[in-house]
Amino acid sequence: AGSMLVVGLCMLLYKRAQRVIGGHSSPLMNHGSMAMAAATSTEGAPPARRMKALVQHGYGGIDAYGLDEVPIPRAGPGEVVVRVHYAALNPIDFKRREGYVASATGPEPFPVVPGYDVAGVVHELGEGVTALALGDAVYGLAHAGGLAVQKHGTFAQYTKFAAEAFARQPEGLG
């Protein structure tokens, strides 16, 4: 099953995704929220290291976003790759999309995957990460150290951040 990408009550993103995929039903839409279909490979070939992501290609309105296929990020030293189950949409996401925080953070390195909040499962551990294990249910805040520009946000099937940005999900939640 694909990873769930929840964008709250923001129908603008839902409608944008429908336009990107041609306005018809597809495996990307599930129960009124954005669900990301797993990347598949051709028969006999090794699995693709690609994913679906909401990608921002420049500053502007909702049309600055596209639903693209991009490489799954790899964990570097001290980093964790998480398979995204849930991601929240916040006012900062709109402000970044429209360029309002660029004076504080510097220009975005377009294309970027937006999004800050995430809950999911640890998919890959970078060298030196010992506080988490593969398969751990986690939640986190991207850019935990501030609004630093980063290419891998949470509006995707997978995301990566420094291990310190994640905490294990407490028992009984989820």
Side-chain angles (χ1 to χ4, degrees):
S3 299
M4 189 68 80
L5 181 62
V6 176
V7 292
L9 300 176
C10 181
M11 293 307 293
L12 291 175
L13 290 180
Y14 179 81
K15 289 178 182 178
R16 173 66 177 152
Q18 284 182 318
R19 284 199 311 259
V20 169
I21 61 173
H24 55 30
S25 178
S26 84
L28 296 174
M29 299 299 159
N30 183 17
H31 305 295
S33 61
M34 278 189 175
M36 296 306 208
T40 59
S41 63
T42 59
E43 190 172 324
R49 294 256 336 142
R50 310 235 357 127
M51 66 177 179
K52 295 287 186 180
L54 185 73
V55 177
Q56 182 179 343
H57 295 279
Y59 296 118
I62 194 71
D63 290 332
Y65 292 138
L67 189 60
D68 297 351
E69 187 173 300
V70 298
I72 294 174
R74 300 300 305 248
E79 295 178 327
V80 175
V81 174
V82 169
R83 183 171 39 109
V84 175
H85 287 196
Y86 301 98
L89 182 68
N90 294 294
I92 190 67
D93 296 306
F94 296 109
K95 292 173 186 172
R96 285 191 83 141
R97 183 195 70 214
E98 294 172 2
Y100 294 126
V101 293
S103 61
T105 63
E108 299 281 351
F110 297 117
V112 298
V113 175
Y116 286 89
D117 304 308
V118 66
V121 175
V122 174
H123 175 74
E124 182 181 356
L125 298 170
E127 182 182 335
V129 176
T130 58
L132 298 169
L134 293 176
D136 279 351
V138 295
Y139 62 96
L141 176 62
H143 320 288
L147 296 179
V149 173
Q150 183 157 333
K151 290 193 68 82
H152 300 287
T154 61
F155 297 161
Q157 288 178 292
Y158 296 85
T159 191
K160 78 167 183 172
F161 298 109
E164 309 74 67
F166 297 103
R168 274 194 198 89
Q169 179 178 302
E171 294 290 324
L173 277 183

